[in-house]
Amino acid sequence: MTVVDTQVISFAPAAASPPAAQVDLMAAEEFLRMFHDSHSGAGPLSQRLAEVRAEVGKSGTYRHTPAELAYGARVALRDSGWCTSGMPWRRLKVRDLRGVRRPAAVAAECFDHLRQATNEGAIRPLVTVFAPDTPDRPGPCIWNEQLVRYAGHRGEDDSIIGDPRYAEFTDSMRALGYRTPALPGRFDLLPLVVETADEGAKLFTVPSEAVLEVPLTHPELAWFGELGLRWHAVPVISNMRLSIGGVNYPAAPFNSFFVGAEIGTRALADEGAYAMAGAVAERLGLDTGSERTLWRDRATLELNRAVLHSFDAAEVTITDHHSEAQHRLAWLRSRQRPSGGRPAFRVDTGAVQRARFGGPAKFSQPPAPPGGRLAALRKRLDSV
């Protein structure tokens, strides 16, 4: 799952995240016409348009039918470029959890998404849709870029154990209550952060049993396993906003499966991540004194071979970057250009900042209601 520069996924200003005063009726109508064009048995379009106009006029928003939601999520994933690997997008499973908005419930369902998507290694593409933004109440948001990410523990000498890409996020998690393990490791799971307007940001430990990890070995180099490398099986993108017909779903985690180079090249070999190219080159006996020997290329190649070999040996779904390139070329030829009413996954500037730095919070901390803790508890129960 990698991004191409021309895909529909786009960066929107941070101001786009909060709920709008009212749904854009033009966007709603464009989507509904698109849905009815694809579903001949959906009933009269004129009747549905009238229902939506009336609902928006009354509440400022409208509720998608389960069929509309599923279709919109599938089209958004197909058009985004994250789901190009020859998968039958019409059969992608969409989990309709629009009634779930409390942080603990959102986290629990995210972990269940991981379990279902893992599917004992036969990775199952899924989209889980939580409560939407409405004019009177914003939906929950997830800070993490992906449900599974590894911590970057900063030492006293500013050295980092783990993934340096998430060192700032790890630091901010400590401020929110995350406890660094007594013996920090290179592959410690970061907690999941779910934020709501009512309860603020909450941390949740990702259950280790929900995360399938693949130990990395090499088909020819017996010493490779001594490097102690591994990677998680399912890439679940969790901080993107799903927009369908003018309605925004700020928490809608989704997954397909990994492209090998995303692990071997971008995570393991890259100097800004685990920087393993040097260690592999040394074990291979390569001349690292000059970049002109192309030792980085040779080491990165072996890292990528190890990733594909290990996932195949563990019977975990993965694709290689050459096969993916062919699918992406076909996608680029056939994809639809984005428009206001066409479903899309988008990432906001604020979401990018939270995923990288662990803040700032999306919502200001809600004031304590009058009447003390009992009144606060009653308010929470009423909002369930």
Side-chain angles (χ1 to χ4, degrees):
M1 291 178 66
T2 53
V3 184
V4 294
D5 294 335
T6 53
Q7 66 186 58
V8 175
I9 294 175
S10 62
F11 288 85
S17 290
Q22 180 171 301
V23 164
D24 182 351
L25 275 174
M26 291 183 64
E29 291 186 12
E30 181 181 345
F31 167 69
L32 291 171
R33 293 180 189 281
M34 177 181 171
F35 173 77
H36 279 258
D37 285 345
S38 299
H39 295 76
S40 57
L45 172 62
S46 58
Q47 179 180 334
R48 180 59 178 144
L49 288 175
E51 292 172 353
V52 168
R53 292 189 190 107
E55 194 173 350
V56 171
K58 182 178 180 180
S59 65
T61 187
Y62 69 103
R63 181 177 175 85
H64 291 121
T65 67
E68 290 168 354
L69 179 73
Y71 175 73
R74 288 166 180 155
V75 168
L77 189 53
R78 180 196 66 186
D79 288 358
S80 69
W82 295 88
C83 186
T84 62
S85 304
M87 291 184 293
W89 66 275
R90 292 182 185 274
R91 296 205 300 270
L92 294 178
K93 182 178 179 181
V94 178
R95 303 173 70 220
D96 183 354
L97 298 178
R98 286 176 287 175
V100 176
R101 62 172 64 247
R102 298 288 297 276
V106 170
E109 292 295 348
C110 284
F111 303 147
D112 196 46
H113 180 124
L114 270 174
R115 296 184 186 96
Q116 291 189 39
T118 301
N119 193 32
E120 298 182 342
I123 306 303
R124 178 185 295 144
L126 297 178
V127 182
T128 297
V129 184
F130 293 108
D133 285 338
T134 63
D136 61 347
R137 192 178 192 189
C141 76
I142 299 169
W143 287 20
N144 307 59
E145 177 187 58
Q146 292 191 23
L147 295 186
V148 180
R149 275 301 189 228
Y150 296 119
H153 304 292
R154 201 185 303 275
E156 293 182 359
D157 59 352
D158 213 32
S159 62
I160 295 174
I161 299 174
D163 195 335
R165 297 174 297 177
Y166 301 99
E168 289 85 357
F169 190 88
T170 304
D171 291 342
S172 69
M173 292 303 96
R174 291 195 193 96
L176 290 176
Y178 169 61
R179 294 186 178 182
T180 303
L183 294 174
R186 291 186 295 171
F187 301 98
D188 295 331
L189 300 176
L190 279 166
L192 184 69
V193 185
V194 181
E195 184 187 2
T196 64
D198 294 330
E199 300 184 47
K202 301 292 183 181
L203 265 65
F204 301 92
T205 300
V206 178
S208 58
E209 52 82 16
V211 181
L212 175 63
E213 294 180 294
V214 179
L216 301 185
T217 59
H218 193 280
E220 298 165 3
L221 306 173
W223 51 261
F224 195 95
E226 299 171 7
L227 298 175
L229 301 177
R230 64 178 188 264
W231 207 255
H232 60 98
V234 188
V236 185
I237 309 301
S238 50
N239 71 334
M240 301 192 77
R241 170 171 54 91
L242 172 60
S243 178
I244 303 176
V247 178
N248 286 317
Y249 299 91
F254 64 92
N255 73 278
S256 62
F257 36 77
F258 272 120
V259 178
E262 186 174 357
I263 303 171
T265 301
R266 296 179 62 187
L268 298 179
D270 194 283
E271 289 298 313
Y274 279 85
M276 291 301 300
V280 172
E282 181 179 352
R283 295 295 292 264
L284 288 170
L286 302 179
D287 177 8
T288 60
S290 170
E291 296 294 342
R292 294 181 70 84
T293 65
L294 301 184
W295 63 268
R296 291 185 193 276
D297 303 71
R298 295 173 66 184
T300 300
L301 171 63
E302 299 305 335
L303 281 164
N304 280 303
R305 289 185 67 199
V307 169
L308 294 175
H309 164 76
S310 302
F311 271 64
D312 287 344
E315 298 184 336
V316 175
T317 309
I318 195 168
T319 186
D320 63 88
H321 56 284
H322 293 293
S323 299
E324 187 68 8
Q326 296 301 315
H327 291 300
R328 288 184 183 276
L329 285 173
W331 168 73
L332 285 168
R333 295 188 191 102
S334 63
R335 76 186 184 104
Q336 299 293 321
R337 295 291 173 178
S339 63
R342 193 170 185 86
F345 279 100
R346 305 183 188 280
V347 60
D348 303 323
T349 303
V352 173
Q353 292 174 335
R354 285 187 289 275
R356 183 176 179 186
F357 303 112
K362 180 176 181 179
F363 308 111
S364 59
Q365 195 65 25
R373 297 178 63 186
L374 181 58
L377 178 61
R378 285 174 176 167
K379 180 180 179 181
R380 286 187 179 183
L381 290 174
D382 290 341
S383 67
V384 173

